[in-house]
Amino acid sequence: MAAAAVLIWIVVIPLIYLIVFSFRSGTAAAPGDWTLANYALVYTSKMTHAALGNTLIYTLMVATLSMAIAGGLAWLVERTDMPYRGAAWVMILLPIAMPGMLSSMAWILLLGPRTGLINVILRGLLAPFGYDAPSGPINIYSMEGMIFVESVRGSTTLFLMLVAGFRLMDPALEEAASMSGARTGYTLRKITLPLMLPMLLATWMYSFIGTLDDFETPLLIGLPAQIFLLPTVIYFTAYLSSSWGLAAAYATIFLLISVVLVFVYHRVVLRRTSQFATVSGKAYRPRQIELGRMRWPALGLVILYFILAVMLPLLILVLASLLPFYRVPAWDMFSELTLMNYEQLFSNTRVLRAAGNSLWVSFWVASGTMILAFLLAWVIVRQRVPGRMILDSIAFIPHAIPAVVVAVAMIMFYLSPAMQWTGLYGGLIVLSLALVTRFIAFASRTSNAAMTQIDASLEEAAYVSGARKARVLARILFPLLLPTFVAGWIFVAANAFRNLNVSLLLSTPQNELISVTLYDYWERQADFSMASALGVVLVVGLAAITILARQLIARGYSGND
Amino acid sequence: MSESPLQGQDGSGAPVRPGQLTVRNLVKTFASRQETVQVIKDVSFTIEPGQFFTLLGPSGCGKSTTLRCIAGLERGDRAHIAVSGRVLADTDTGAFVPASDRDFGMVFQSYAIWPHMTVAQNVAFPLHANRRRHQLSRKEVGERVEEALALVRLDQFGGRIATKLSGGQQQRLALARALVTRPDLLLLDEPLSNLDAGLRDHMRGELRAMQLRTGVTTLYVTHDQSEAFSMSDVIAVMDAGVLAQQGAPRDIYWRPSTAFVATFVGQTNLLSVVRPPLQAGSGILSVETTIGPLLVNVASERPIGPGDSVVIRPEDLQVTREPPLDGRANVFRGRVRRPTFLGENIELEIEIGSELLMTRQHPRFAFGAGDEVYVELPVDRCVAVSGAAAGVGSHIRGTIGDPAAPHTNAAQ
């Protein structure tokens, strides 16, 4: 029951405060009269219309483009005889280690209108043809730029979902078409595509909802370009112009949109997809389509993706981090390369303190989220407690709350007269609670799924052997679920560590996380070299931890056998 | 090879009739990163037109892969496959007709019913996909679909979404789809294994009746011996990538050629051969076994010796309290070890020397443990087979004192 109370405390109450506050004037700390003025302002503001329009274009385009990229890559890897498919897997999955903030930064360094490396090179190449503008030809600070960066980055998760979808399909369905006399193209048109359609739609919508929540690209590229999206409008009104009532109104509207979409996704789209599920027990792999002369060009496409998603961004970041001051790269700069930025990084008290904060927050957020999720899963899946389905729904709500909304709701709640006296606002605890709210939906789904897999009789055998509940939980369930627990822990810890969307809005000088420091170096101090150095350390650290953790998990599994 | 299509492809010059399937020297290897497995090691057989031919074997024996090579869904490493005289795959000439152009009907284990189509659309698909070869008007397509659905008694269901059908109906739908183009050859890959027991028995009869009605040459793959026995004209038992024996169901059961075949189909007693028979040749020979000399049937193509076995089915043993009349051969004294009353019969383990033989007798014989009995192993039921019992599917009794000898190791 304590778990239920925690859940209500971190999910339901802040949302209620958010919604209530959107109908009041004044500040969160000293709310004024009841009013509809916030909504009136939202309704009449030009910014609203622009933001809604931008958000719609951005999410539609990113979802469609990343879907196309991911679909193409998944098809090449799963269903064709493209060479080096093993290496292709790695190349496609590596971008996971790249936080969105860093890809945006890297692409700004590459495609910034004046100093972007690629632009400089292009201007050089185009000069003989009469191109002599001081900037361009490509401008990353545009809607197209944002869409490009996010589509390339967002494809990896979709790739994994699509590969799983491809594998779920019974190969016999296509073989039956062959046996019926259908050639490859006809089978693709009449059997494969129609069968995959619900799954493709579901993946597309998943991508759409995820992009709606995306904050980092709109922040780093959109804000300087004066292109506002819903999340950045909220950040802008709340943080930069301190109109909290207005921000609450925006957040409430954003919340509503997101909840409707997530509801449709789960209750309509996913159910439809499961009706089409065509799982079979046969182990035959589907036949691979022979690409013939196109085999090597196909691999070229994968490599191109790898270059755009990982190699170019990482190279430019490393290069920038080795320059004493960032300037347009040129051939003479190789003499200037220095490790100075890294030395400064490791001796800078602000950076070290932020890193300490980030470690502390990641550890407690991951532990807290996973323990809460497991207790909830136990109640929801196993115990016959009335109201457990309500708990399940509450745990699921955060899935539909955009990160920015979580942050604003937390601010409203902890700055409110009811909570102000605690002095928690601005500290690491509120930040951590906000992050737990952020990740509880993921953790809860994972734990529920894992708990469902474990046969109830394993627990019942322990009860019959005379064990009480606590012992059953500790000695039977926990060891069985440990691999899931560890995997989920690492996922949450890594994501909390690199989180920007919640932590930036809740940041104060006292609770600064490393991601916020990075953003600060980049945006406010415009020290691109230090920001790059910090970014490189972050990527290397995250990659190392992920690999190490994976090996630990693998060992844990074999140890349990 | 440039024979006329009506000449035999095996060079014998025998005329080929429509619906005849020839498979020669089929070899197939699967390579994964860790290992290479030769799942089919040189398999050859011929199915005559209209025959119901069953490939029977344990899982992993290569039977499904054989079928998939014939279907064109796999390519053999070495193969010569021809149907109705038309060469479909020949690794010597490099000829290979893709699955889509072979014009066979096939029923998959999972049925592979397309969930996004109605029942009628599923059946019509092969006619549409094959439009070049089956030049049919829209009306004719409708008639053929009706006809195929009527054949499997699904004519009321044409407009239904295919996945709303029950398991048995889906199975019949898959069959209708396989037959709608009136193929020369019907391939069935364990089609009954996903049905529950009662329905499976029923569908067995339906399937065979359908095959007899349409007269389509049928290749059936299964691991279930009762399916094989009840439906087939010819059974080929496969073991570890080779055809162990091919013959009519009764031959497979009463005249197995190897210990594997004997133990894979039905329960059996296996007695090890101790010495080669005194006389060479075939026919009824006296063979020294672990229970003593036995008169057994030895086939001419298989001389036997130590390492081989003698087979006798449990129901063939004659058990009596009184000694049989003089002049009977293969009579031994034994002691009843473990009588188990099963209702329709009584199962006995009988100790003869150091061997245990299993038998089933009419339940009215009230044998008790320790009873002294006479056991006759009728000469015409004792068959010499090559090889000794081992591995999965064996139903052999162990020797006395062997605690590992399992009483219930019967697979299936």
Side-chain angles (χ1 to χ4, degrees):
Chain A
M1 279 301 95
V6 172
L7 192 63
I8 289 168
W9 183 259
I10 63 167
V11 175
V12 179
I13 295 179
L15 285 185
I16 291 174
Y17 267 84
L18 172 78
I19 294 166
V20 166
F21 190 76
S22 70
F23 291 102
R24 302 186 76 161
S25 62
T27 65
D33 303 328
W34 295 93
T35 172
L36 284 172
N38 294 324
Y39 285 97
L41 204 56
V42 166
Y43 188 71
T44 53
S45 164
K46 267 193 201 141
M47 208 173 179
T48 312
H49 304 290
L52 281 175
N54 287 336
T55 308
L56 189 68
I57 294 172
Y58 178 69
T59 40
L60 272 176
M61 289 305 293
V62 169
T64 309
L65 264 179
S66 44
M67 190 61 197
I69 298 172
L73 293 174
W75 185 74
L76 284 178
V77 169
E78 271 298 295
R79 300 300 311 272
T80 70
D81 62 345
M82 184 181 74
Y84 295 108
R85 287 193 303 278
W89 260 97
V90 180
M91 286 196 278
I92 295 165
L93 289 185
L94 267 178
I96 278 187
M98 193 86 166
M101 182 172 31
L102 290 179
S103 348
S104 295
M105 280 166 41
W107 279 104
I108 290 169
L109 293 178
L110 286 165
L111 285 176
R114 280 175 181 280
T115 58
L117 178 59
I118 294 179
N119 273 328
V120 172
I121 295 171
L122 282 178
R123 283 203 294 272
L125 291 175
L126 290 174
F129 303 100
Y131 188 95
D132 56 356
S135 69
I138 303 172
N139 183 6
I140 190 74
Y141 292 114
S142 59
M143 182 57 93
E144 295 81 10
M146 290 166 66
I147 291 170
F148 164 74
V149 171
E150 190 55 27
S151 305
V152 169
R153 204 185 66 82
S155 304
T156 303
T157 324
L158 301 188
F159 170 79
L160 286 175
M161 292 174 77
L162 290 174
V163 165
F166 280 171
R167 289 195 178 163
L168 269 181
M169 204 173 99
D170 182 357
L173 291 170
E174 283 174 276
E175 288 173 354
S178 283
M179 292 311 294
S180 305
R183 305 276 174 89
T184 310
Y186 194 79
T187 306
L188 195 70
R189 233 174 38 247
K190 294 281 181 179
I191 304 292
T192 316
L193 271 181
L195 281 175
M196 304 279 290
L197 200 60
M199 194 270 290
L200 293 176
L201 261 178
T203 314
W204 183 85
M205 192 153 177
Y206 174 90
S207 169
F208 186 91
I209 292 167
T211 312
L212 196 64
D213 193 18
D214 176 41
F215 179 62
E216 304 182 11
T217 308
L219 179 73
L220 275 116
I221 300 178
L223 218 51
Q226 300 280 308
I227 300 172
F228 285 100
L229 272 64
L230 269 175
T232 39
V233 161
I234 293 169
Y235 172 70
F236 187 77
T237 45
Y239 213 71
L240 302 181
S241 72
S242 294
S243 314
W244 288 99
L246 193 58
Y250 272 125
T252 306
I253 293 168
F254 194 17
L255 179 66
L256 213 66
I257 296 174
S258 181
V259 165
V260 168
L261 284 174
V262 170
F263 184 82
V264 170
Y265 175 67
H266 279 269
R267 293 292 134 95
V268 184
V269 177
L270 282 193
R271 280 204 187 159
R272 262 292 165 81
T273 315
S274 61
Q275 278 177 2
F276 261 38
T278 51
V279 189
S280 80
K282 273 256 168 149
Y284 285 109
R285 276 180 68 84
R287 270 188 307 159
Q288 286 168 344
I289 290 159
E290 288 165 18
L291 292 176
R293 272 183 309 176
M294 296 308 288
R295 289 177 78 223
W296 292 99
L299 183 65
L301 281 179
V302 175
I303 293 173
L304 177 70
Y305 173 76
F306 176 69
I307 290 174
L308 290 180
V310 183
M311 230 173 69
L312 271 182
L314 216 52
L315 278 180
I316 192 77
L317 286 178
V318 169
L319 187 65
S321 74
L322 295 175
L323 290 171
F325 312 98
Y326 187 73
R327 63 187 188 88
V328 183
W331 289 116
D332 59 356
M333 74 191 172
F334 285 100
S335 55
E336 296 174 19
L337 297 186
T338 166
L339 287 173
M340 190 185 81
N341 292 311
Y342 290 94
E343 282 164 31
Q344 272 182 24
L345 214 56
F346 287 105
S347 56
N348 183 321
T349 48
R350 181 184 172 196
V351 171
L352 293 179
R353 214 168 78 94
N357 283 345
S358 282
L359 286 176
W360 191 92
V361 165
S362 309
F363 178 82
W364 287 112
V365 167
S367 308
T369 309
M370 290 316 292
I371 289 170
L372 181 61
F374 268 79
L375 291 176
L376 285 172
W378 194 50
V379 175
I380 291 162
V381 177
R382 283 288 193 268
Q383 306 291 304
R384 297 272 164 263
V385 184
R388 66 206 158 86
M389 291 331 285
I390 298 173
L391 271 188
D392 192 28
S393 310
I394 296 176
F396 186 64
I397 293 172
H399 189 79
I401 317 178
V404 180
V405 176
V406 171
V408 173
M410 284 309 217
I411 293 170
M412 298 300 158
F413 180 42
Y414 284 95
L415 274 183
S416 70
M419 289 301 294
Q420 215 175 14
W421 59 271
T422 58
L424 286 174
Y425 176 74
L428 289 173
I429 291 179
V430 169
L431 185 51
S432 303
L433 286 178
L435 288 170
V436 172
T437 310
R438 177 83 185 127
F439 297 121
I440 189 66
F442 157 81
S444 175
R445 290 284 122 164
T446 320
S447 316
N448 285 1
M451 192 82 76
T452 315
Q453 297 288 310
I454 290 178
D455 193 34
S457 64
L458 292 176
E459 274 173 81
E460 286 158 4
Y463 287 125
V464 172
S465 312
R468 301 273 171 83
K469 263 188 190 178
R471 179 177 289 266
V472 171
L473 207 55
R475 294 291 305 278
I476 307 293
L477 271 180
F478 188 72
L480 284 171
L481 293 168
L482 193 63
T484 318
F485 188 91
V486 174
W489 193 96
I490 290 162
F491 179 89
V492 173
N495 277 284
F497 195 86
R498 67 195 243 182
N499 178 278
L500 183 69
N501 44 24
V502 172
S503 53
L504 183 63
L505 265 78
L506 286 172
S507 80
T508 58
Q510 289 78 47
N511 69 358
E512 189 174 288
L513 296 189
I514 198 76
S515 49
V516 176
T517 314
L518 174 56
Y519 178 69
D520 195 67
Y521 271 127
W522 176 267
E523 196 61 43
R524 296 187 198 133
Q525 304 179 18
D527 189 342
F528 298 158
S529 289
M530 275 294 272
S532 299
L534 189 48
V536 170
V537 173
L538 205 66
V539 168
V540 171
L542 280 173
I545 289 170
T546 314
I547 292 168
L548 194 78
R550 258 164 219 269
Q551 277 171 349
L552 276 181
I553 295 172
R555 200 176 304 161
Y557 272 118
S558 54
N560 273 355
D561 289 344
Chain B
M1 298 217 175
S2 58
E3 292 125 309
S4 92
L6 285 176
Q7 283 295 298
Q9 298 297 322
D10 50 5
S12 66
V16 174
R17 287 167 294 155
Q20 186 186 54
L21 166 74
T22 322
V23 175
R24 258 199 294 124
N25 304 118
L26 180 62
V27 176
K28 175 74 186 171
T29 310
F30 281 121
S32 70
R33 214 167 284 176
Q34 293 84 29
E35 52 178 353
T36 313
V37 187
Q38 198 170 48
V39 286
I40 306 174
K41 303 164 184 157
D42 203 354
V43 162
S44 303
F45 58 90
T46 299
I47 307 181
E48 297 304 329
Q51 248 178 8
F52 195 112
F53 186 98
T54 298
L55 278 175
L56 173 68
S59 62
C61 71
K63 57 190 189 306
S64 272
T65 309
T66 304
L67 176 127
R68 290 171 62 82
C69 286
I70 294 165
L73 296 170
E74 307 277 353
R75 269 176 198 247
D77 303 338
R78 199 151 69 81
H80 173 93
I81 296 168
V83 170
S84 313
R86 174 179 170 224
V87 178
L88 300 172
D90 190 310
T91 40
D92 293 334
T93 63
F96 183 83
V97 177
S100 56
D101 295 1
R102 293 196 177 187
D103 265 325
F104 297 159
M106 178 161 171
V107 176
F108 291 80
Q109 187 175 12
S110 61
Y111 315 142
I113 299 299
W114 297 306
H116 60 299
M117 297 183 187
T118 63
V119 169
Q121 283 168 340
N122 263 282
V123 179
F125 184 89
L127 298 173
H128 290 303
N130 270 319
R131 194 164 289 156
R132 265 166 287 111
R133 272 163 281 159
H134 303 271
Q135 286 180 337
L136 298 174
S137 67
R138 186 179 293 262
K139 186 162 155 276
E140 284 168 318
V141 168
E143 284 167 6
R144 290 281 285 270
V145 169
E146 280 295 305
E147 184 190 307
L149 285 176
L151 188 68
V152 296
R153 290 183 291 106
L154 280 177
D155 31 351
Q156 307 299 313
F157 296 92
R160 265 248 203 135
I161 287 289
T163 46
K164 296 272 186 261
L165 298 183
S166 70
Q169 288 170 331
Q170 287 197 19
Q171 212 268 338
R172 300 209 302 264
L173 170 56
L175 192 61
R177 184 178 68 188
L179 290 172
V180 72
T181 58
R182 297 170 187 160
D184 280 351
L185 180 65
L186 177 65
L187 303 171
L188 302 164
D189 188 4
E190 308 223 12
L192 303 183
S193 63
N194 282 343
L195 299 178
D196 53 47
L199 201 51
R200 199 181 309 162
D201 292 347
H202 175 73
M203 280 311 294
R204 222 188 263 165
E206 293 246 329
L207 205 54
R208 176 58 164 161
M210 189 98 52
Q211 192 267 341
L212 288 173
R213 217 176 313 149
T214 56
V216 63
T217 311
T218 302
L219 173 59
Y220 188 92
V221 161
T222 184
H223 62 267
D224 184 316
Q225 46 165 316
S226 42
E227 280 175 25
F229 282 140
S230 59
M231 292 190 280
S232 313
D233 296 313
V234 178
I235 295 176
V237 181
M238 249 185 119
D239 174 31
V242 296
L243 280 193
Q245 188 177 3
Q246 179 182 334
R250 279 164 213 279
D251 289 338
I252 298 285
Y253 190 75
W254 298 119
R255 288 286 181 266
S257 62
T258 70
F260 170 81
V261 174
T263 51
F264 186 72
V265 297
Q267 285 184 306
T268 199
N269 292 298
L270 278 190
L271 296 166
S272 299
V273 174
V274 180
R275 269 196 302 273
L278 294 174
Q279 321 95 297
S282 60
I284 295 174
L285 302 180
S286 176
V287 173
E288 189 69 26
T289 70
T290 41
I291 58 169
L294 268 184
L295 287 177
V296 303
N297 292 273
V298 179
S300 52
E301 62 275 18
R302 279 189 311 279
I304 61 163
D308 295 325
S309 314
V310 172
V311 163
I312 182 159
R313 299 281 175 192
E315 62 272 25
D316 289 335
L317 296 183
Q318 304 285 331
V319 183
T320 48
R321 291 184 191 280
E322 306 302 322
L325 297 172
D326 284 346
R328 306 294 295 182
N330 292 354
V331 177
F332 298 86
R333 294 201 65 170
R335 183 197 304 268
V336 174
R337 283 258 294 182
R338 199 187 306 179
T340 311
F341 178 71
L342 293 174
E344 60 199 58
N345 54 39
I346 182 167
E347 204 173 87
L348 307 172
E349 279 179 8
I350 297 173
E351 188 181 325
I352 302 173
S354 64
E355 290 281 349
L356 276 181
L357 292 187
M358 209 222 350
T359 179
R360 280 190 291 273
Q361 300 293 323
H362 196 279
R364 76 183 128 113
F365 295 119
F367 293 105
D371 288 1
E372 296 280 339
V373 290
Y374 291 89
V375 182
E376 182 188 346
L377 286 63
V379 175
D380 63 326
R381 294 303 192 199
C382 291
V383 180
V385 298
S386 51
V392 183
S394 68
H395 302 262
I396 324 97
R397 328 304 308 178
T399 45
I400 293 174
D402 177 5
H407 184 72
T408 52
N409 74 338
Q412 314 170 26

